[in-house]
Amino acid sequence: MPAEDIDWQALEDAAKQAMQQAYAPYSKFPVGAAALTEDGRIVSGCNVENASYGLTLCAECALVGQLHMTGGGKIAAFYCVDGQGNILMPCGRCRQLLYEFRAPGMQLMTTQGIKSMDQVLPDAFGPEHLEETT
Ligand SMILES: O=c1ccn([C@H]2C[C@H](O)[C@@H](CO)O2)c(=O)[nH]1
Ligand SMILES: [Zn+2]
């Protein structure tokens, strides 16, 4: 998607709105994530924690679930915020989750400005590595 077609303000707003729905009673660290799909939809998600702490779902987990539930497709741009509304880098696991659904040239808003998927997850493992070897 051409850079000028990405409405970063709309993505930031959607991420902040999603963050308001976070369930984070343990970490007290709410997170909201939003993505623009190639066909122009905005999907989002918040983190959902659990009393069994390690079962916590990151905001990006909810986002990819919503992506698939609302028509699928690929992610052209991504924005994630913490409870202060500041840009948050997706954790390693979430970078992998996002990689699966990346559109060509997918852009991520990061604390260092706009970056590509390849920059935040170089040499990634992906579906292409699952081909039969026998
Ligand atoms: O990419 C990330 C990183 C962290 N968190 C959540 C998980 C946990 O609820 C809280 C503190 O780690 O932030 C996310 O939702 N996404
Ligand atoms: Zn994560």
Side-chain angles (χ1 to χ4, degrees), residues 56-77:
T56 286
L57 303 176
C58 283
E60 295 86 339
C61 298
L63 184 153
V64 297
Q66 191 184 114
L67 170 71
H68 208 63
M69 284 287 294
T70 60
K74 301 289 187 197
I75 298 171

Side-chain angles (χ1 to χ4, degrees), residues 24-86:
Y26 307 110
S27 72
K28 305 207 176 358
F29 192 83
V31 177
L36 174 67
T37 65
E38 275 188 308
D39 59 357
R41 286 140 53 218
I42 287 183
V43 295
S44 60
C46 63
N47 54 336
V48 180
E49 299 188 344
N50 193 279
S52 179
Y53 300 159
L55 301 185
T56 286
L57 303 176
C58 283
E60 295 86 339
C61 298
L63 184 153
V64 297
Q66 191 184 114
L67 170 71
H68 208 63
M69 284 287 294
T70 60
K74 301 289 187 197
I75 298 171
F78 174 81
Y79 201 112
C80 188
V81 298
D82 65 16
Q84 316 298 317
N86 294 321

